[in-house]
Amino acid sequence: MKIHFYLRYSTQYGQALFLSLQDDPVYLPLEYLNDEYWHTSIEVDPKKTKSLQYRYHFRDKDGAEKTEWGNDRVLDLASSKADALQVSDYWNEAGAVENVFFAQPFQEIFFKQNEGKAPKSPAHFTHVFKVKAPVLKKDEVVCLLGHDIALRNWDAAAPILLHREGNWWTVRLDLSGQNFPLGYKYGVWNTATNKFIGFESGTNRTIYAPPGNIDAVVLHDGFLRGANPNWRGAGVAIPVFSLRTKDSFGVGEFTDMNRLTDWAKSVGLKLLQLLPINDTSATGAWTDSYPYAAVSAFALHPIFLNVGELAGKKHAAIIKPYSAKQRELNALDAVDYEAVIHTKWDIIRQLYPLMKADWQKDAAYQTYYQENKHWLLPYSAFCYLRDQNGTPDFSQWKSHQVFKQAEVEALLAPNAKTFDDVAIHLFVQWHLHVQMRAAVDYAHANGLALKGDIPIGIYRYSCDAWVAPELYNMDKQAGAPPDDFAEKGQNWGFPTYNWARMKEDGFAWWKQRFEQMKLYFDAFRIDHILGFFRIWSIPMDAVEGILGYFVPAIPVSEREFHDAGIGFNYDRLCKPYITDEVLYEYLGAHAQYSADHFLEHIPDGKRWSGASQYAVKPDYDTQRKVEAWFNSLTAPEAIESSAKKATKKPKLSEVVVPELSAQDADAIRTGMFNLLTNVILFRDPSGEGYHFRFGIDKISSMRHLPAEVQGKLNALYINYFFRRQDDFWKQEALEKLPELKRSTNMLICGEDLGMVPACVPSVMEELGILSLEIQRMPKKTGTAFFHPKDAPYLSVVTPSTHDMSTIRGWWEENRNLSQQFFTEILGYQGVAPFFCEPWLNQAILAQHFQSPALWAIFQIQDLLGMDGKLRRENPNDERINIPANPKHYWQYRMHINLEDLQAEKAFNDTLRGLVMESGRG
């Protein structure tokens, strides 16, 4: 059989198109025919090839490539008797709005379409019509009408009905002997009322007589025209740990999600958005409450296990003694992380031996284990070794510092002494999976989708890093540059990704991660999607994020500084600039002490300007060294006691520094940190070129340069951050995101906040990844606020996230801003209320509900904020995270039980009204 492919695609000189078959890496070039079509042909043996999957690829004149979206171009060769087949195609752009609605939540929950009754195919057919229509209402199917008898002469009372085959609505027709060319259009027919709904928009489509050597024609007609969906939904965002029911155990559990589903459905919401639910049990302390530092990117957190449901009636006696403790923990305003997790593990360890035999024989568990063995086995061993060694830092373990599959399997051998200590973690993961899946199934059955969260980084001492350290740059720290929420940037402490190594196996680890997410979620938020373009990389000897720079990035060469008329002095630009004036600016009353202890004078012959200059002593020339020295000091009480007994002034290297109070020590540490960041450039590790420190306009090193030099340096700085890297970062993202997006059918939303490169919106739009739009974080420069009415359709609008204060909290933070918002965005006159009154809160919510964005998602605190009786008195008690504080305790809980929230008729009626009036219900 000879197959002729014709692709409609308008190109410019130097651009080219290609065809690929199945998974064949060889691309077949297409030939340019005219301004509308490209063509190629192949020979296949239909006896050997029953079906043929293919797709098209585009290459620009500069070599940049992209692949059309979808895996659904499949030719059924077995049913065709043709010797020569003509295929007519439209390019499927990844960013086409319609493609979003082929994602999992729409196809499996919101738009479970009629398949249409498959008509009996004629014994002989000449044309196969195929079109996509992802957004149809219940009982609606695609129909076809056109010229001549074979296409029903445009009789809307009796159209040709298509049926669903995969993503395509299809019909096979015999058009032999028709008077070509034929005009036709697709339309929509309601099978329940047997009525014609209407035609697609635009001019008629046209079929021309096929060449004499063609036996059959397949028309891949793209999408039903003019049917661009305006579907919009609303959802609620809340961490699982924040849920509260009457049956909770001091923390939200997977089983509590059913109550959340019931309430969300009752008010018309369609989506539940959660924070990461992975296991973060590194130390057993409250610091493990940080949900973005998982010890496994695959394992679920044991804290979410409902131990009462695990025990059941059969083992209820184990749970009964903990009833008082459960009531005590559940009555707390916030999560007591340590008390909850330790109590649950006490119970689990008692239940395991009683349930072990039945669990091991469970066929469903055995299937689960085999399908997830690639991560379950190393994870369970990691947890055992972490507990045995008292640390997750595998470099400090007595054995097994390096992961070896055989050694790990030996720990779980049935006759091994370690078996139960390792297998208990398998036992817990299985039951977590069962409880989470039950919650997911319940949500789906009630018409709700679940949206998860994929952290951009992995925990440095995680099972993932232990198993495959080569996938990560363990000598670097990931973070974020300074912004309005963290003026010194953020240092997350995670290693950065070794993307080059990940690319070698086709990003297998990421694809496995997506597969695991799909078990529980229909959509997910990519935390810090900017990290796929470039990551803020911080050296290991730095504590604060301000000492990082973007990787990858094109450094600035010394020649460029000379060409700009600046010259280049390494010591002046790349080392901390410290003079007497700077010293007193940063350390004030502690300047002399700091100079005596941490600094040394630069000799006269080595100074570049000024009467006095200092260098930091080698023992304190990094933030880590300074931090280590201050951490070595004893508590203030011990310092004072020692000071009374001291007979001589202690040396710097001694543990106790009597003359320093705790307040003094904190001030000096902060001042020394600031001195160490008083630099303009960082040398690239390769030795080739330099990277600008972020925010050089705010540091004294810059201010102390001549005005002319400052101006020229600033021009290079602006170019470096906002122009130089853009195309480079775009290609970095396009090497990763398309392949990763293609590996999953979940709906993908990107958290594109912060210092957003100019290329990010176009890449996200090109790939159909939803953006995040936040009213108080406008992406348009020079504006104070973003208005939800201006949101793009493929976006998520929200007034706040877990990293921010709530609407009420934000309103009270800056009186000038809230007044400006009151006048400019809400359109009110006069003086703005000092507090965010319920009616104000509701007005802000209403703007978001009315937005054209695909999704409007709200923190539950913001929804409760419109009811003066239901909301918490102090809005600061409702905040989930403070990004500027790396040691923040994540312990926010709802202050009202979900059962009681369900009974709040007035509030629920108001919320339901907002949902329905906006058309999101």
Side-chain angles (χ1 to χ4, degrees):
M1 175 188 290
K2 190 162 189 175
I3 307 176
H4 294 270
F5 296 90
Y6 291 87
L7 174 66
R8 292 178 177 89
Y9 200 103
S10 179
T11 56
Q12 298 176 354
Y13 179 76
Q15 297 175 335
L17 290 158
F18 302 85
L19 176 77
S20 65
L21 305 176
Q22 309 286 47
D23 296 319
D24 191 339
V26 178
Y27 289 5
L28 303 176
L30 273 68
E31 178 185 0
Y32 172 81
L33 290 183
N34 51 48
D35 288 346
E36 187 175 2
Y37 282 103
W38 287 68
H39 166 263
T40 192
S41 59
I42 63 171
E43 293 270 5
V44 298
D45 184 350
K47 293 180 180 179
K48 296 180 180 178
T49 307
K50 302 299 183 184
S51 65
L52 184 71
Q53 183 178 0
Y54 66 98
R55 64 165 65 105
Y56 295 104
H57 310 268
F58 169 85
R59 183 178 296 161
D60 210 342
K61 55 188 176 182
D62 61 2
E65 293 186 4
K66 67 177 179 179
T67 300
E68 68 166 343
W69 193 246
N71 299 309
D72 52 17
R73 292 199 188 277
V74 181
L75 297 177
D76 178 11
L77 305 183
S79 65
S80 176
K81 299 176 182 178
D83 292 325
L85 187 65
Q86 177 179 306
V87 183
S88 180
D89 287 319
Y90 285 88
W91 174 274
N92 185 9
E93 196 68 51
V97 169
E98 295 90 345
N99 279 322
V100 169
F101 294 94
F102 283 113
Q104 186 172 316
F106 300 102
Q107 291 301 297
E108 299 184 13
I109 303 171
F110 305 137
F111 302 145
K112 281 194 172 180
Q113 297 181 353
N114 262 350
E115 296 299 317
K117 185 177 180 181
K120 185 177 180 181
S121 292
H124 175 263
F125 57 88
T126 61
H127 288 73
V128 181
F129 292 83
K130 303 178 78 171
V131 70
K132 294 181 180 180
V135 183
L136 291 178
K137 298 176 182 177
K138 185 181 179 183
D139 300 321
E140 291 182 346
V141 299
V142 177
C143 62
L144 173 68
L145 286 171
H147 289 121
D148 225 322
I149 297 174
L151 298 183
R152 307 288 173 87
N153 278 320
W154 300 102
D155 183 1
I160 299 167
L161 302 186
L162 283 68
H163 69 283
R164 186 93 177 265
E165 292 182 1
N167 290 343
W168 298 92
W169 288 88
T170 304
V171 68
R172 293 167 176 81
L173 299 176
D174 184 355
L175 301 184
S176 302
Q178 299 300 305
N179 295 315
F180 292 99
L182 297 175
Y184 70 99
K185 271 190 173 183
Y186 296 104
V188 178
W189 177 266
N190 188 298
T191 58
T193 61
N194 284 322
K195 288 186 178 180
F196 181 70
I197 305 298
F199 284 111
E200 64 178 336
S201 64
T203 59
N204 292 346
R205 300 176 189 255
T206 305
I207 320 169
Y208 294 94
N213 63 330
I214 297 297
D215 302 310
V217 176
V218 176
L219 298 163
H220 284 129
D221 273 335
F223 295 101
L224 194 69
R225 293 190 312 223
N228 283 345
N230 59 3
W231 185 96
R232 296 177 303 141
V236 61
I238 184 169
V240 174
F241 62 77
S242 299
L243 297 175
R244 182 191 290 268
T245 69
K246 294 178 179 178
D247 299 323
S248 297
F249 210 116
V251 69
E253 299 169 331
F254 291 149
T255 51
D256 293 331
M257 289 171 56
N258 288 0
R259 295 283 190 184
L260 181 64
T261 292
D262 291 339
W263 170 76
K265 180 182 179 181
S266 72
V267 294
L269 301 178
K270 290 185 169 69
L271 181 141
L272 310 178
Q273 178 172 319
L274 310 177
L275 289 187
I277 55 175
N278 300 103
D279 185 4
T280 60
S281 305
T283 65
W286 66 265
T287 49
D288 293 349
S289 66
Y290 179 38
Y292 289 88
V295 296
S296 169
F298 301 89
L300 300 174
H301 204 311
I303 203 169
F304 299 134
L305 185 69
N306 183 324
V307 288
E309 183 168 294
L310 172 64
K313 293 182 179 179
K314 185 176 181 180
H315 303 294
I318 299 295
I319 302 294
K320 191 173 182 180
Y322 293 90
S323 296
K325 185 67 173 178
Q326 179 178 2
R327 289 192 297 272
E328 173 192 331
L329 292 172
N330 211 31
L332 298 177
D333 290 336
V335 177
D336 185 337
Y337 183 93
E338 294 179 19
V340 170
I341 194 66
H342 294 158
T343 303
K344 287 195 173 186
W345 269 110
D346 283 344
I347 296 170
I348 290 167
R349 291 189 183 97
Q350 295 176 61
L351 290 172
Y352 171 74
L354 302 176
M355 303 176 67
K356 172 183 170 182
D358 290 339
W359 158 66
Q360 287 181 305
K361 291 184 292 186
D362 189 333
Y365 163 71
Q366 291 299 332
T367 300
Y368 164 81
Y369 177 76
Q370 291 303 321
E371 291 176 350
N372 295 275
K373 186 178 180 180
H374 67 93
W375 67 265
L376 269 173
L377 179 60
Y379 163 76
S380 59
F382 177 89
C383 292
Y384 163 72
L385 293 166
R386 171 202 62 199
D387 297 342
Q388 286 295 303
N389 291 278
T391 177
D393 183 353
F394 42 88
S395 68
Q396 303 298 315
W397 291 351
K398 296 176 183 177
S399 63
H400 301 86
Q401 295 96 337
V402 176
F403 173 82
K404 293 180 181 178
Q405 184 74 23
E407 291 181 358
V408 167
E409 289 178 352
L411 293 174
L412 202 57
N415 58 351
K417 293 181 180 179
T418 55
F419 175 82
D420 285 330
D421 291 332
V422 178
I424 193 171
H425 299 287
L426 302 177
F427 170 80
V428 170
Q429 285 302 308
W430 164 244
H431 287 287
L432 283 164
H433 169 74
V434 169
Q435 291 185 6
M436 182 60 183
R437 271 306 315 178
V440 171
D441 292 342
Y442 187 79
H444 287 176
N446 283 278
L448 272 79
L450 270 75
K451 180 181 176 185
D453 194 328
I454 286 192
I456 185 60
I458 66 150
Y459 183 51
R460 183 170 298 278
Y461 306 120
S462 66
C463 179
D464 304 279
W466 178 52
V467 171
E470 69 279 3
L471 296 181
Y472 319 100
N473 298 311
M474 301 298 290
D475 59 343
K476 297 292 188 292
Q477 305 173 96
D483 56 25
D484 292 340
F485 302 99
E487 65 178 17
K488 291 189 175 182
Q490 298 177 51
N491 183 354
W492 305 324
F494 308 144
T496 60
Y497 291 120
N498 182 351
W499 288 112
R501 173 61 183 82
M502 288 181 161
K503 187 178 178 181
E504 290 177 7
D505 61 8
F507 306 103
W509 179 81
W510 278 97
K511 291 175 181 178
Q512 288 178 335
R513 200 175 180 187
F514 288 174
E515 280 299 305
Q516 191 69 15
M517 286 284 291
K518 190 177 179 180
L519 289 175
Y520 314 112
F521 298 105
D522 310 290
F524 64 90
R525 163 191 179 270
I526 299 181
D527 171 49
H528 195 67
I529 196 173
L530 306 183
F532 288 86
F533 294 77
R534 78 292 184 274
I535 196 70
W536 190 252
S537 179
I538 307 163
M540 288 299 293
D541 59 17
V543 174
E544 296 175 326
I546 189 65
L547 286 171
Y549 56 92
F550 288 122
V551 173
I554 304 170
V556 185
S557 67
E558 288 188 23
R559 170 53 53 194
E560 291 177 83
F561 289 98
H562 287 291
D563 291 346
I566 299 170
F568 192 85
N569 183 314
Y570 178 86
D571 287 346
R572 177 64 182 86
L573 297 174
C574 302
K575 291 184 178 180
Y577 176 70
I578 310 172
T579 63
D580 283 333
E581 182 179 348
V582 171
L583 191 56
Y584 279 93
E585 176 186 347
Y586 282 71
L587 284 140
H590 303 292
Q592 189 59 53
Y593 178 91
S594 301
D596 293 343
H597 287 77
F598 303 108
L599 308 179
E600 55 190 12
H601 279 278
I602 296 176
D604 293 346
K606 294 186 178 181
R607 296 176 186 169
W608 51 87
S609 66
S612 64
Q613 291 166 24
Y614 301 88
V616 183
K617 292 177 181 179
D619 285 347
Y620 310 102
D621 61 0
T622 71
Q623 289 187 335
R624 288 288 177 203
K625 291 178 182 179
V626 171
E627 179 185 55
W629 185 80
F630 278 99
N631 286 346
S632 72
L633 301 181
T634 55
E637 298 80 8
I639 292 176
E640 293 173 7
S641 174
S642 178
K644 294 176 182 177
K645 299 178 183 177
T647 57
K648 63 175 183 174
K649 185 176 180 179
K651 297 178 182 179
L652 189 63
S653 59
E654 293 178 343
V655 173
V656 176
V657 181
E659 61 266 42
L660 288 184
S661 67
Q663 186 175 0
D664 289 339
D666 186 60
I668 294 172
R669 177 169 55 249
T670 300
M672 285 302 301
F673 277 11
N674 290 338
L675 282 182
L676 289 167
T677 66
N678 193 31
V679 298
I680 293 173
L681 299 174
F682 305 130
R683 175 180 274 173
D684 189 88
S686 68
E688 299 294 327
Y690 299 85
H691 302 278
F692 275 98
R693 174 213 191 269
F694 189 82
I696 59 173
D697 58 314
K698 298 178 181 178
I699 59 174
S700 59
S701 180
M702 183 72 164
R703 294 197 305 272
H704 284 229
L705 288 170
E708 181 183 1
V709 174
Q710 288 186 47
K712 292 176 178 178
L713 265 177
N714 191 59
L716 282 177
Y717 171 89
I718 295 296
N719 180 69
Y720 171 85
F721 276 113
F722 302 104
R723 301 189 186 98
R724 181 189 191 92
Q725 318 291 346
D726 213 52
D727 288 341
F728 179 48
W729 285 340
K730 179 177 182 178
Q731 292 310 312
E732 282 290 320
L734 290 176
E735 277 195 356
K736 306 159 193 155
L737 287 174
E739 187 169 351
L740 293 176
K741 185 175 186 291
R742 195 179 295 280
S743 69
T744 180
N745 198 37
M746 289 183 287
L747 180 66
I748 302 179
C749 310
E751 186 260 300
D752 54 335
L753 305 178
M755 187 177 171
V756 182
C759 62
V760 171
S762 64
V763 170
M764 293 179 66
E765 183 178 345
E766 180 179 330
L767 297 177
I769 296 175
L770 275 60
S771 63
L772 179 61
E773 309 295 335
I774 299 180
Q775 198 160 36
R776 72 184 87 164
M777 293 186 71
K779 293 173 182 174
K780 183 179 179 181
T781 56
T783 57
F785 310 106
F786 161 81
H787 200 297
K789 69 179 175 59
D790 299 321
Y793 181 60
L794 294 187
S795 69
V796 176
V797 292
T798 184
S800 69
T801 75
H802 63 273
D803 282 330
M804 305 174 183
S805 51
T806 59
I807 292 174
R808 296 169 57 214
W810 170 76
W811 189 268
E812 297 176 19
E813 288 171 0
N814 187 317
R815 180 66 183 160
N816 292 332
L817 271 180
S818 55
Q819 178 64 59
Q820 184 181 352
F821 184 90
F822 185 72
T823 305
E824 292 182 8
I825 304 299
L826 295 178
Y828 294 114
Q829 301 300 313
V831 179
F834 184 84
F835 298 108
C836 187
E837 305 296 345
W839 64 269
L840 265 178
N841 192 300
Q842 183 171 333
I844 295 172
L845 293 179
Q847 286 186 338
H848 288 76
F849 276 111
Q850 295 293 337
S851 169
L854 180 65
W855 284 105
I857 301 177
F858 306 89
Q859 290 197 90
I860 200 164
Q861 307 96 297
D862 285 333
L863 295 176
L864 293 171
M866 65 178 179
D867 189 301
K869 295 179 181 179
L870 282 184
R871 66 189 194 177
R872 265 194 167 109
E873 181 177 352
N874 184 355
N876 294 323
D877 294 338
E878 298 178 329
R879 184 153 184 175
I880 295 174
N881 181 37
I882 302 176
N885 178 11
K887 298 296 184 182
H888 180 72
Y889 193 170
W890 296 60
Q891 57 177 163
Y892 165 73
R893 291 188 79 195
M894 293 178 64
H895 63 291
I896 181 173
N897 292 324
L898 282 164
E899 297 94 333
D900 296 333
L901 181 61
Q902 184 80 59
E904 291 290 340
K905 186 177 185 305
F907 168 77
N908 291 328
D909 286 348
T910 300
L911 178 54
R912 189 182 306 106
L914 288 172
V915 175
M916 298 306 169
E917 288 166 15
S918 67
R920 294 182 180 273

